Amino acid sequence: MSELQKELRRPNIQRRVFSFAQASPTEIVRSKLSTSEIQYRALTYLPDELLTNIPEDDNVYSLFQGFQATVPDIENENRKGHKRHNSKGQKLLAENGSDSDGPPSLVNLKKDRNGLNHKLEMMGVRKNMCSSEIREIDNKIANLNSMRRIVLDRLAGLEKEEAHVEHELLGVDNKLEDLQEELDDAAALSRKSPVLDAEPADDATTVESQAMSASFMSESIYEKLPSPKAKRHKTIRRKSMPILHEHFEPGSNIRELPAHNDMITALDFDVPFGTMVTAALDDTVRVWDLNLGRCMGLLEGHHASVRCLQVEDNIVATGSMDASIRLWDLSRADYSPQDNRLHKDDDDEDDGLGFENAEDLPPPPPSSSMQDCPLFSLEAHVDEVTALHFRGDTLVSGSADKTLRQWDLVKGRCVQTLDVLWAAAQASATMNSNDGQWRTTGRLPDASADFVGALQCFDAALACGTADGMVRLWDLRSGQVHRSLVGHTGPVTCLQFDDVHLVTGSLDRSIRIWDLRTGSIHDAYAYDNAVTSMQFDSRRIISAAGEDVAKVYDKTDGRHWDCGAGVTAEEDGRSPATVERVRVKDGYLTEGRKDGIVGIWAC
């Protein structure tokens, strides 16, 4: 102890102990370890979280073998380069080897064998690396698909909530309009009240006061105050366009509606997830909310089944077997979704408008929901109306009475009648040829074929397809046929044109695409059965061709494919009915079947 005390009394020892007491633990470690050792320990340190989640390595090749397999070409290039630089020395070695071993050199063969074995081994390593990359990509794709489904569900929820908010906004706007009308009516009544107070009350002026009162009622109530039945609210149209269907895989089913009890004869809709109108041989015309899949009501007024219809904004035109055409305004419909379907409880009562079970018949919607929708009726045809099309204030209809009629929707009357047979005879006499005359199709007459199968108008231009297989282009200003397109060998059942092309479908099982500038056939293709309905958008031509699927022709890449319930019918153990009518807009497809079911698909 005495020696220890002597050592501690030395100034150097005291200074070292004092500095050691003031040093931090980090400084102590740094004084004991070198800088390179500290850096190595920092780089090789792994937290416990990484050590607990180490993936299992089932690779049979080492990391060095994988690295070696990635650079064989570089080594070969280096060897070739050395061979070029030392060609003289290698020749001498080869001569010595040939002298010792004799031709062919055994050493060279062994080298070749070892090189080929090494190359084969490296190829196996590369194959294993490619398989590992493929598995990694598959895992990433699976993760991305799951993330995509989550985002799609989120988008669907946002669109439903958006529709609900827009409906609430529409209700508030209607209430504001009603309140403003009440205030205006109150102001009008207050302006008339001083006149009534100033009237004398003696018996001599009783008749005059009654006349004044009658005139007041006539002006204030019948002219100023709208009746509840005549009151029109804002148009039921969405401000935002749904985009959910654009992100579905082509051929994905969006919804199926057991719409009718008999074959669908006509259907049309305004926009995706908007309003759809369907007609069937059960003599009913139903209006649907495609966003919720609910029946809004029935359009009642025709005395027979509706054969053709068109939906444009809120106006609906229907042509019936009773030879009449009726127009309807859906903005007058008394329809309002009761609640937000996102937050609806399971124990809520059914509203009588929606149904989900495909085996149940559609429930009767409220009879008063569409009672204010009828506008007027057009009656001049003497046989069933089989085709119609309207644009703006002009409507053109085709009938089994072999006439086309042009209607002025402002005046509500027929302004021109076109006789198809007479026009065909006139065209034949003018051209002195058989191009424009009525001709037989070379097949047996089909009793089910409509005389006027389809038509479309645009300004003064009218395209009409008839039972003789001819497609005639009319000028409504002169009422004459200025061009006839010959090609179909069966009755024309559907047509549609744009700025350049006219697409037609026929019972001869073909779809033909015509060039309107030259009148020649631009393209054509055929199916196994008759084409009964067709429509195209910017990319696809959709048609119903006597099968349980809708036939899709992609114009961009020329690919044909099927869309509908029949694609997976065998897997699902079902037998869907034949598709009779199709409509498509912006990749949103609706198809009506023979059993009354309407399918909605993304294509």
Side-chain angles (χ1 to χ4, degrees):
M1 293 295 294
S2 61
E3 293 179 358
L4 182 61
Q5 290 178 356
K6 289 180 182 180
E7 291 292 333
L8 291 176
R9 288 176 182 175
R10 292 180 180 181
N12 293 334
I13 297 298
Q14 290 180 356
R15 283 195 300 268
R16 292 174 63 183
V17 171
F18 181 74
S19 63
F20 184 78
Q22 290 183 340
S24 62
T26 304
E27 294 175 349
I28 295 174
V29 173
R30 288 178 177 174
S31 64
K32 297 297 181 182
L33 301 175
S34 63
T35 304
S36 60
E37 188 176 1
I38 293 174
Q39 292 177 350
Y40 172 76
R41 294 192 178 190
L43 291 174
T44 57
Y45 170 74
L46 294 176
D48 296 336
E49 297 177 357
L50 293 179
L51 294 175
T52 55
N53 294 326
I54 297 178
E56 296 182 1
D57 186 13
D58 55 352
N59 201 334
V60 296
Y61 298 102
S62 65
L63 182 62
F64 177 74
Q65 286 176 315
F67 173 76
Q68 191 179 14
T70 58
V71 288
D73 298 334
I74 299 177
E75 293 179 358
N76 292 335
E77 290 177 358
N78 293 334
R79 290 175 182 173
K80 291 179 181 179
H82 289 301
K83 184 176 181 180
R84 287 194 298 269
H85 290 296
N86 301 321
S87 59
K88 186 175 181 181
Q90 288 184 356
K91 285 181 180 180
L92 293 174
L93 291 175
E95 290 176 358
N96 294 332
S98 63
D99 293 340
S100 60
D101 298 335
S105 175
L106 182 62
V107 176
N108 291 336
L109 290 176
K110 288 182 178 180
K111 287 182 180 179
D112 293 340
R113 184 186 63 181
N114 294 335
L116 292 175
N117 287 332
H118 178 74
K119 187 175 182 180
L120 186 61
E121 183 183 2
M122 292 300 102
M123 286 183 177
V125 175
R126 293 180 197 172
K127 286 172 58 179
N128 185 269
M129 293 172 63
C130 292
S131 299
S132 301
E133 289 183 6
I134 290 174
R135 285 193 293 269
E136 185 178 358
I137 291 172
D138 291 338
N139 293 332
K140 291 180 179 179
I141 291 175
N143 293 333
L144 290 175
N145 286 332
S146 61
M147 294 176 61
R148 188 177 187 275
R149 285 192 294 268
I150 294 173
V151 177
L152 275 179
D153 294 339
R154 192 189 312 159
L155 178 60
L158 288 174
E159 288 199 348
K160 288 184 178 180
E161 189 173 357
E162 183 182 52
H164 179 70
V165 171
E166 287 191 0
H167 179 74
E168 289 183 347
L169 178 62
L170 180 64
V172 172
D173 290 341
N174 289 333
K175 289 180 181 179
L176 286 175
E177 288 184 358
D178 295 342
L179 183 58
Q180 185 64 39
E181 288 179 359
E182 291 178 2
L183 293 176
D184 295 341
D185 297 337
L189 291 173
S190 62
R191 288 195 298 268
K192 293 295 182 179
S193 58
V195 179
L196 292 178
D197 294 340
E199 291 294 326
D202 54 338
D203 296 338
T205 59
T206 301
V207 178
E208 184 179 356
S209 64
Q210 290 178 354
M212 181 67 70
S213 177
S215 64
F216 159 72
M217 291 295 292
S218 175
E219 184 176 358
S220 63
I221 293 182
Y222 294 103
E223 295 182 3
K224 299 290 184 181
L225 296 178
S227 63
K229 187 172 182 179
K231 186 182 295 183
R232 293 186 59 180
H233 287 164
K234 279 193 172 182
T235 299
I236 307 175
R237 284 192 62 82
R238 297 190 59 174
K239 296 181 179 179
S240 59
M241 292 297 296
I243 60 174
L244 179 63
H245 68 285
E246 298 177 0
H247 303 284
F248 287 155
E249 290 293 329
S252 300
N253 179 249
I254 299 176
R255 193 187 299 273
E256 274 197 358
L257 301 174
H260 295 272
N261 302 326
D262 208 334
M263 186 182 76
I264 302 292
T265 56
L267 61 85
D268 196 11
F269 64 97
D270 52 0
V271 293
F273 295 98
T275 303
M276 178 179 67
V277 181
T278 60
L281 290 180
D282 58 5
D283 295 345
T284 61
V285 181
R286 293 179 179 268
V287 184
W288 301 87
D289 182 351
L290 290 176
N291 187 47
L292 298 177
R294 305 165 65 193
C295 181
M296 300 168 56
L298 279 77
L299 300 179
E300 299 177 333
H302 285 292
H303 303 295
S305 298
V306 168
R307 292 291 313 278
C308 52
L309 63 87
Q310 181 185 348
V311 179
E312 195 71 29
D313 292 335
N314 293 293
I315 304 300
V316 180
T318 56
S320 172
M321 298 175 69
D322 62 5
S324 68
I325 301 168
R326 290 182 178 269
L327 277 87
W328 320 76
D329 187 356
L330 296 183
S331 65
R332 299 181 177 183
D334 183 16
Y335 167 75
S336 59
Q338 292 184 353
D339 50 18
N340 187 354
R341 289 286 172 176
L342 292 176
H343 308 290
K344 182 175 180 180
D345 297 331
D346 294 336
D347 55 353
D348 287 350
E349 295 182 357
D350 294 334
D351 57 0
L353 291 174
F355 51 93
E356 297 294 336
N357 191 355
E359 297 179 356
D360 296 338
L361 294 177
S367 58
S368 60
S369 59
M370 299 289 167
Q371 63 180 3
D372 297 333
C373 292
L375 293 177
F376 51 84
S377 177
L378 305 175
E379 299 180 358
H381 286 292
V382 295
D383 207 339
E384 60 179 291
V385 179
T386 58
L388 62 82
H389 186 269
F390 72 91
R391 183 180 178 89
D393 297 332
T394 301
L395 183 145
V396 180
S397 60
S399 171
D401 60 9
K402 300 178 175 56
T403 62
L404 306 175
R405 291 184 181 269
Q406 179 184 356
W407 306 82
D408 187 344
L409 297 183
V410 176
K411 300 177 181 179
R413 62 185 182 88
C414 178
V415 296
Q416 184 175 198
T417 302
L418 306 175
D419 191 320
V420 178
L421 295 178
W422 182 84
Q426 289 294 111
S428 176
T430 302
M431 297 182 294
N432 292 324
S433 66
N434 295 327
D435 292 341
Q437 69 180 5
W438 187 264
R439 63 191 184 91
T440 58
T441 60
R443 295 170 177 262
L444 293 176
D446 190 353
S448 62
D450 298 323
F451 183 85
V452 179
L455 55 84
Q456 181 184 347
C457 62
F458 181 81
D459 291 340
L462 170 65
C464 171
T466 49
D468 64 340
M470 297 279 286
V471 179
R472 294 177 172 85
L473 306 181
W474 301 70
D475 188 347
L476 293 178
R477 294 167 296 188
S478 62
Q480 300 292 326
V481 177
H482 69 86
R483 178 174 290 176
S484 298
L485 306 179
V486 182
H488 283 295
T489 59
V492 177
T493 57
C494 45
L495 64 81
Q496 182 185 354
F497 64 82
D498 56 13
D499 297 337
V500 178
H501 294 115
L502 167 69
V503 183
T504 58
S506 169
L507 294 184
D508 64 5
R509 302 176 298 178
S510 70
I511 297 284
R512 296 176 183 265
I513 305 174
W514 309 79
D515 191 331
L516 290 176
R517 297 164 296 186
T518 61
S520 60
I521 294 180
H522 173 72
D523 194 5
Y525 54 92
Y527 292 116
D528 296 333
N529 301 296
V531 178
T532 58
S533 180
M534 179 276 306
Q535 192 176 29
F536 66 83
D537 58 9
S538 59
R539 177 171 179 174
R540 312 159 193 85
I541 299 177
I542 312 294
S543 56
E547 299 182 20
D548 54 5
V549 293
K551 313 297 286 188
V552 183
Y553 172 62
D554 197 321
K555 295 185 290 185
T556 57
D557 56 9
R559 182 171 63 98
H560 291 266
W561 57 283
D562 298 337
C563 178
V567 176
T568 59
E570 295 183 0
E571 300 176 1
D572 300 339
R574 300 188 304 166
S575 57
T578 303
V579 176
E580 292 291 332
R581 295 291 182 268
V582 292
R583 282 293 179 269
V584 62
K585 289 179 183 177
D586 300 328
Y588 187 89
L589 167 65
T590 60
E591 45 95 1
R593 306 174 196 164
K594 216 163 192 175
D595 57 358
I597 294 179
V598 174
I600 304 171
W601 308 81
C603 65

